[in-house]
Every structure is written in structure tokens, then in C-alpha cells.
Amino acid sequence: MTLRVLTAGDHFVENRLFIDALRREVPGEVEIRELTLPWPVVPFGRVGEVDEASDVEDELIEALRGVEVCVTQMAPLTRRVLSASPDLRLFSVSRGGPVNANLEAATEAGVAVTFAPGRNAVATAEHTMSMLLAATRRIPQTHADLASGVWRGDYYRYEMVGPELDGSTVGLVGYGAIGRRVSRMLAGFGARVLVHDPYVDVPGKVGLDELLTRSRFVSLHARATPETAGMIGAAEIARMPAGSVLVNCARGALLDYDAMCDALDSGHLFGAAVDVFPEEPIPAGSRLLTTPNLVMTPHLAGASKETAIKAARIVSADVARYVRGEPLAHCANPAFAAS
């Protein structure tokens, strides 16, 4: 029997990557239909009741007619899409978490939702290290000065230079796949690592207050949950030693950005580097655009060719398990995962 699959790729995890992975992984006859979503040319947003999705409900509903399996990164699995797609049985999201899928509605409709944990762990860890170094060594500022024809010798003054990673203590808030890789990279720099994560038991694990007071560098790697929302605010930043560096390549919801800007303005923080924001894109007039000693990148820490390839392979492997009648490796529906 022919399996009908929709590849709803975009300009990062392209349809050709999904198709190549499906052809390698999935046994039997597969009929593939393609839909190309506009992300990242068009930013994602809230669609219906789901977050971080491309606004393509109408196009998706049309493309899903007669389709049993959908593999995607940004397609919105909303109640409206589900009610219009009775043949759909598997919705595979090539992201670390299926935030663009309504899990409750999918479970009610008998649709399994899978995801791709760890797909961007290496890329994000490498980007985190880049941000730590860029903020500490003022690389963006000095490059901009040189590009404009200004030689800033004053950056060599003692009060203008930052600390070294070698011999410093670095606090990692969250110790999942990304945090563990960052820890290994930091070891190569000669840094001491402290960890705050209630879900792991590792050497160097401490409470959040102790981590903040002892760490010269703090890097956030926790997931965004109701418990972690705003976990680093003005009081927490104040506990960090004067002249510290703060990095967030995880989620904007973890950090109070006004408190971070205040600490940069006052000089309490030597520098900060962020890849994620409370509102994306950054609105015009945001103080983030004028705060000193702040390095920013536009939510691309996980952007690497390997990330896109891994994402397609991970979800395709679960499609293959579905076809063979095996348990899904990365199922997000609690009811299905337990069965």
C-alpha cells in the first residue's frame, strides 16, 4: 500500500532534505507531495492556537487532502487543520519541540506528533561559545570601529578589557543536550563549570543563587516553561559579580531584558550576548538597539547545514518506525507515548 506523505519544508529545512531522508529511511512505496513554507523569509508567529508557525493554514489544508503523514518544521497543526484533514495520522516536526502543534487536539484526532530532539545541539553550543567570546573580547564593537576607519587603542585600557575563560567559573543554567556540549567546550578553555538544572545530577550542580554569585560568566540553556519564565531578572543579575558576562541562546522568556539593559547601562555587567528575544523581530525603538556592550544575533544559534540535515533524518526515522508498526522514538503526545 502506498504511503502518502506531505513534505512541508521551508528555506532552511528544505523539501529536498526531507525527500532524500524519506527515500533512504522509509520502506515500501511512498508518494510525496510538496509544500514550501515562507520561513525564514517571512517570520513565524502565532497561528490559531499554536506558536512559532508559518501562517499557511489554508495552503496546508489543501495540501493535506488524502495525506497520512506530514513532515515539516513550521507548518501549523491547529484544530482547524486537524478537522479538515481526516486522513492524517502522523505529524512529524523537525524541531527540538513541537510548539507549532496542538497536542491536545492532535491526540483527540488520533494523530501522533513527533519531534527532533538534539537536532541543533552542536550548532547552538558552538554559537554560544562564539557569543561568550564576542561579548568578552568586544569583537563586534571593535570590528565596527575599524570598518568605519576608527582605530580604538583605548580598548586596551585595563578598565576596558574583559576576563579570560581560562581559570574562570562559568555557570550553565540548564544542562540538556546543548548545555552538556557547552560544558565540554568550556573544559577545553580551562574554565570551571557550575550547573543549575533540577532534572540532572552531575558534578558541579548547585542552586541558582550559588551559581549566580560564583560565576563570572552565565549562559542560559533551560527550556521555556511556566516555571522558568523570567527566571533571570533584576535580583538575579544583581547577584552576579560586577563585570560579569551574560549569554542567552535559549529562549527570550527566560530573561528580563530590561533588567539586563539596566545592568549593562550601569556597568554591573561587562557584556551580554543574546540570540533570542521577548519579541521577534525586535521592534523599532527597542532599547536593545542602543544598549552598550550588547552583542545580538537574530535567533540563528541553531542555524547550520548539519542541523537541517539531522532534523530531516530524525523525523524520517520516526516515519519509518510508523510504517513498520514500531513505537515512535520521539512522540510528543503523552497518551501515545505511553501506549
Side-chain angles (χ1 to χ4, degrees):
M1 186 174 178
T2 300
L3 177 72
R4 292 183 173 86
V5 178
L6 171 67
T7 63
D10 48 56
H11 300 291
F12 176 52
V13 185
E14 298 178 338
N15 279 320
R16 66 184 178 88
L17 301 178
F18 282 132
I19 292 169
D20 288 347
L22 288 166
R23 296 296 187 200
R24 283 194 305 270
E25 296 280 350
V26 180
E29 293 294 322
V30 181
E31 177 187 314
I32 297 177
R33 186 180 302 172
E34 298 181 46
L35 175 66
T36 300
L37 308 186
W39 190 85
V41 178
V42 178
F44 59 58
R46 187 164 183 84
V47 179
E49 70 278 11
V50 302
D51 290 315
E52 297 187 16
S54 291
D55 191 4
V56 292
E57 277 185 305
D58 292 339
E59 298 92 328
L60 184 63
I61 288 170
E62 181 62 31
L64 283 173
R65 295 189 188 283
V67 166
E68 187 175 348
V69 173
C70 177
V71 294
T72 187
Q73 181 180 217
M74 293 291 176
L77 189 65
T78 60
R79 285 191 179 275
R80 178 170 173 250
V81 169
L82 284 159
S83 64
S85 309
D87 296 309
L88 186 65
R89 288 294 173 265
L90 176 64
F91 191 83
S92 290
V93 179
S94 62
R95 304 168 73 173
V99 294
N100 51 312
N102 183 330
L103 292 180
E104 180 181 357
T107 302
E108 292 170 0
V111 176
V113 177
T114 66
F115 59 107
R119 65 162 195 163
N120 64 355
V122 172
T124 304
E126 290 180 354
H127 194 86
T128 297
M129 294 302 302
S130 300
M131 296 289 264
L132 272 169
L133 294 169
T136 304
R137 304 310 297 265
R138 301 196 189 279
I139 292 172
Q141 299 98 312
T142 52
H143 170 81
D145 289 333
L146 283 172
S148 63
V150 178
W151 183 276
R152 290 285 302 275
D154 61 311
Y155 276 126
Y156 220 113
R157 292 167 55 184
Y158 182 81
E159 66 269 21
M160 296 287 284
V161 298
E164 295 178 352
L165 282 170
D166 185 31
S168 292
T169 298
V170 182
L172 303 180
V173 181
Y175 203 67
I178 297 167
R180 290 194 299 272
R181 282 173 170 81
V182 172
S183 180
R184 291 201 296 268
M185 293 175 185
L186 287 166
F189 278 84
R192 296 183 295 270
V193 175
L194 297 178
V195 173
H196 173 71
D197 189 325
Y199 303 103
V200 301
D201 187 11
V202 295
K205 179 178 177 179
V206 296
L208 181 59
D209 284 352
E210 182 178 352
L211 180 145
L212 294 169
T213 57
R214 291 177 57 188
S215 299
R216 207 171 191 184
F217 302 83
V218 172
S219 185
L220 308 185
H221 300 285
R223 296 194 68 83
T225 67
E227 292 75 27
T228 61
M231 67 183 304
I232 305 298
E236 288 73 25
I237 293 172
R239 294 189 184 99
M240 296 171 62
S244 300
V245 176
L246 176 63
V247 175
N248 185 13
C249 291
R251 278 291 185 264
L254 303 177
L255 176 62
D256 182 333
Y257 280 70
D258 279 327
M260 177 193 69
C261 289
D262 289 341
L264 289 166
D265 285 336
S266 70
H268 177 69
L269 287 177
F270 175 83
V274 294
D275 181 62
V276 290
F277 304 89
E279 184 178 351
E280 298 180 2
I282 302 171
S286 169
R287 67 184 296 196
L288 292 170
L289 304 177
T290 56
T291 296
N293 302 323
L294 175 61
V295 179
M296 298 183 290
T297 51
H299 203 154
L300 49 70
S304 71
K305 284 182 166 52
E306 287 79 4
T307 291
I309 293 167
K310 290 175 195 172
R313 288 176 178 171
I314 292 169
V315 295
S316 295
D318 255 342
V319 175
R321 294 182 186 95
Y322 167 80
V323 171
R324 294 192 295 262
E326 299 171 1
L328 300 171
H330 307 297
C331 186
N333 318 60
F336 290 3
S339 61

